[in-house]
Amino acid sequence: MPHKVGMRILFPLAPIVLLAGCVPPAAAPPATAPAPRPAPRPQPVLPAPPPASSDWRDWALTPGDWQYRGLSGGSAASFGVRGAAPVATLTCDRAARQVTLSLASAAPAAGTVAIRTSSTQRSLAVRPAPGGVAAVLPAADRLLDAMGFSRGRFVVEGAGVGRLVLPAWAEILRVTEDCRG
């Protein structure tokens, strides 16, 4: 008899279950407008970079490195970005006891370049040379020492050369000593 009791309970619910299956699904909720996006935050206004310092010892170095190489009859140190033509080269001619400073220039012409070190400021006469201009100095010229011992950098400026801020590395002194020795 317990079995019949369960049947009595199930059968009266059957019409309800069948009718529930005939009810159309509820309509989809109405499309809602996308949530408003927050307004972008204003970017902070950064101050303009400070102007180049009037003190040349604070100027950024010209990109590149010094490269030393021995040559028959002397040596050379070239400065520039690897894989590109050097912007400055010091070449020792041991027999003549001279150091030639060569500078790249788009418009090679005779003129002058100014060299500033932490201990010296001097103008050099330059003449056209392959790829730029050049100045010849005796190996004993103290300007070469001033360039090598300058505090971190020295500057070469002139028409056609622009402004070069070169690091005062040992290669400068090595070429100089090769010519003196």
Side-chain angles (χ1 to χ4, degrees), residues 56-164:
W56 64 270
R57 292 170 291 196
D58 295 330
W59 294 346
L61 292 171
T62 299
D65 294 307
W66 283 104
Q67 301 291 314
Y68 173 88
R69 69 184 183 283
L71 303 171
S72 61
S75 60
S78 297
F79 183 85
V81 176
R82 290 180 192 252
V87 295
T89 302
L90 289 165
T91 307
C92 162
D93 179 347
R94 193 175 296 127
R97 298 178 80 80
Q98 293 179 333
V99 175
T100 301
L101 171 62
S102 302
L103 303 165
S105 175
T112 61
V113 293
I115 298 184
R116 284 188 264 180
T117 73
S118 56
S119 63
T120 304
Q121 182 169 343
R122 192 161 114 202
S123 292
L124 293 177
V126 293
R127 58 179 166 67
V133 294
V136 178
L137 301 163
D141 194 315
R142 293 294 167 208
L143 179 60
L144 296 167
D145 296 306
M147 290 164 53
F149 287 115
S150 189
R151 292 187 182 144
R153 67 194 68 214
F154 64 97
V155 176
V156 179
E157 291 181 288
V161 175
R163 175 185 294 156
L164 300 173

Side-chain angles (χ1 to χ4, degrees), residues 25-45:
T32 60
R37 291 186 179 172
R41 292 185 182 192
Q43 294 295 327
V45 177

